[in-house]
Amino acid sequence: MNANGSAGRPDPDIEPCSPAKDARGETLVLLARRANGATVCPSEVARALAAATPAATDWREAMPAVHAAIDRLVDEGLVMLSWKGKPLATRAGPYRIGRGPRG
């Protein structure tokens, strides 16, 4: 449940930051725009980065930066990883990104 008492809707009290041009910031922006408990796919972050970069030719080129940023965000406790609803301790194979204990 979010601050206004409704579940499943983005929290209106969380103001997403302006669109980020880096994987870390873009991940946090995408999560802030989602309902509490919702997750994002790392490819969503990469696609957003590619869309914001005029010279980018393929979102897949951004994936190494996304993975590195996610590893740092996990270490900071800002995001947590899961796959098919089960928590993951580390990034391995397919995964989803959700808000962490400090996020």
Side-chain angles (χ1 to χ4, degrees):
M1 205 167 274
N2 60 25
N4 67 357
S6 79
R9 293 197 175 141
D11 190 333
D13 296 327
I14 298 175
E15 180 63 32
C17 18
S18 60
K21 299 288 191 277
D22 65 282
R24 182 183 194 282
E26 191 63 46
T27 300
L28 296 174
V29 166
L30 288 172
L31 284 172
R33 291 179 180 159
R34 299 285 168 95
N36 289 334
T39 61
V40 297
C41 180
S43 68
E44 291 177 71
V45 179
R47 290 170 200 272
L49 290 172
T53 307
T57 57
D58 187 5
W59 61 268
R60 291 171 189 87
E61 294 172 4
M63 287 304 292
V66 170
H67 292 315
I70 298 308
D71 291 343
R72 286 190 304 276
L73 288 166
V74 168
D75 289 343
E76 294 169 15
L78 295 174
V79 302
M80 54 183 257
L81 307 178
S82 64
W83 183 243
K84 296 190 177 186
K86 296 180 181 168
L88 298 175
T90 59
R91 182 179 57 78
Y95 65 96
R96 300 281 299 177
I97 308 157
R99 289 184 182 99
R102 296 185 57 217

